[in-house]
Amino acid sequence: MSQELWTAVDHFISEALIPSDPALDAALESSAASGLPSIQVSPSQGKLLHLMARAQGARRILEIGTLGGYSTIWLARALPPGGRLITLEADPKHAEVARANLSRAGLAGEVEVRLGRALDILPGILAEGLGPFDLVFIDADKPNIPAYVRWSLRLTRPGSLVIVDNIVRTGAVIDPTSTDPNVIGAREMYNLLAKEPRLCATAIQTVGSKGYDGFVVALVAAEP
Ligand code: SAH
Ligand code: DHB
Ligand code: MG
């Protein structure tokens, strides 16, 4: 099956099920106009994040890797009144574009964009007692995925969901000899998930306009 067909079906699904939305469309337009890379989740993945957060009844959401805030908008719209989302972004320009996009979406009150490298910010989030988070979405630098999964365990509770983007990497993830730090990060994450009794995980492959990739969904469980 060709990537063209997968992408065409993804468009078909989006057109059938995901009506065009002024705030999401504006976020994509302003991100592109500001020169941000077009590496946000697809509309169908964004809506899946939204549905998982709603099904979860998530009141506190942590996102690592904001870009222009496209996935942030999908997630934040799942929050009930009084819910909060914190999203971490290392690039000042990305954070600025995201803040504008979130304001335009009417979400400035419930979303906080924290600027800095996630590994520098996460200790403060723990110390401030901003958790436990009901859902964590990991979508920043890929070599640090294992570290972000370990941080997620400290910042969640049994029953929380941890979702990790980009864990197939055009299939390169199956190569044990890969020297690509992104692939090594993803492979270490699989080892961590396999041996961590507090995480019950699976991974789903995706194909779309960004190519062949996938995401992990992990449920935080009490230690057996
Ligand atoms: N979640 C977004 C896409 C994120 S792209 C969406 O789907 O809409 C990855 C983002 O992670 C980029 O904006 C990049 O600047 C940011 N990033 C990279 N390294 C980071 C780090 N160490 N800490 C925080 N953010 C980082
Ligand atoms: C790429 C895709 C992503 O979803 C991401 O978070 C980072 C990079 C990419 O295709 O390069
Ligand atoms: Mg991603």
Side-chain angles (χ1 to χ4, degrees), residues 39 139 142 165-166 210:
I39 54 173
D139 192 19
K142 312 311 170 189
D165 196 24
N166 310 117
K210 281 192 296 177

